[in-house]
Amino acid sequence: MNYRQKALIFGITVLLMGNTSYGQQVSKDQVKGLDEQVQEIKGDALSISAELAKLEEKLLYPSNTEVSVFVSLKTGETFRLDSVDIQMDGKPVTHHLYTLKELEALRKGGVQKIYTGNVRTGDHDLEVQLSGKTGGGSDFRTSGQFMVSKDVAPKIVEVSLASEGITFKDR
């Protein structure tokens, strides 16, 4: 049980003890009022949690160091994508295995945010490797490299996967 849950239970206990004498029956209006207070506290807790998540993201990924990589499939591709591996400056940063639902979403034009990280300003080597199966069922692997030029603004790189190669767009 975390601190918030303990505080909520303590608050409810205090409200119950403050509104009733020991052994006295609680009226429906009191229960309804208490329920409304509990719901209000829950709403406040959820609001605070959302704000904390935003602050955490800003701290972990400040906009002046943030780089994000998005993946899509080239229109009309028939190969089955099994996995994507991404390296930044020779170091592995992410590996993703695809489910049938994710592959179907990519085939319908979906775009996946596959990586967000921090890098210093300057040039960085981005390598993407994909593996899958061709329409005939044989194993298939290809890779592509791209130079990411990072300045002080957040950087977005779009990676389009295709059987004949990988293309990159710098945003």
Side-chain angles (χ1 to χ4, degrees):
M1 187 176 292
N2 67 30
Y3 173 75
R4 286 185 185 152
Q5 291 170 331
K6 288 178 184 177
L8 182 63
I9 290 171
F10 177 74
I12 291 170
T13 304
V14 168
L15 286 171
L16 282 174
M17 294 185 86
N19 288 338
T20 63
S21 301
Y22 188 74
Q24 214 176 26
Q25 212 171 39
V26 180
S27 73
K28 288 183 181 182
D29 289 337
Q30 287 174 322
V31 170
K32 185 177 177 182
L34 184 59
D35 186 47
E36 289 172 358
Q37 289 175 350
V38 168
Q39 293 304 323
E40 187 177 320
I41 291 169
K42 280 183 182 179
D44 291 346
L46 290 173
S47 173
I48 290 169
S49 177
E51 287 179 42
L52 285 173
K54 287 179 187 177
L55 287 172
E56 180 182 25
E57 186 168 329
K58 283 183 180 180
L59 286 172
L60 291 175
Y61 306 110
S63 63
N64 62 338
T65 64
E66 182 179 327
V67 62
S68 295
V69 179
F70 291 82
V71 172
S72 65
L73 278 182
K74 189 173 179 184
T75 305
E77 278 301 325
T78 58
F79 74 91
R80 185 187 80 205
L81 179 63
D82 289 334
S83 68
V84 172
D85 294 290
I86 297 181
Q87 293 186 21
M88 182 80 69
D89 296 327
K91 296 177 186 170
V93 293
T94 192
H95 170 79
H96 188 77
L97 295 173
Y98 285 87
T99 65
L100 291 176
K101 285 185 178 183
E102 290 172 323
L103 182 56
E104 188 62 30
L106 288 173
R107 283 190 177 140
K108 290 180 178 179
V111 177
Q112 176 197 17
K113 184 176 187 179
I114 193 167
Y115 173 71
T116 297
N118 297 317
V119 296
R120 292 189 288 261
T121 57
D123 292 339
H124 300 276
D125 183 40
L126 176 69
E127 183 178 351
V128 176
Q129 296 178 349
L130 70 89
S131 61
K133 297 214 179 271
T134 63
S138 58
D139 288 337
F140 164 71
R141 281 188 80 100
T142 190
S143 65
Q145 287 189 307
F146 183 70
M147 187 61 65
V148 176
S149 295
K150 177 72 176 84
D151 56 13
V152 293
K155 178 59 98 183
I156 295 175
V157 178
E158 295 178 30
V159 179
S160 180
L161 307 175
S163 57
E164 62 272 351
I166 299 172
T167 56
F168 298 88
K169 271 189 192 174
D170 199 357
R171 300 257 177 193

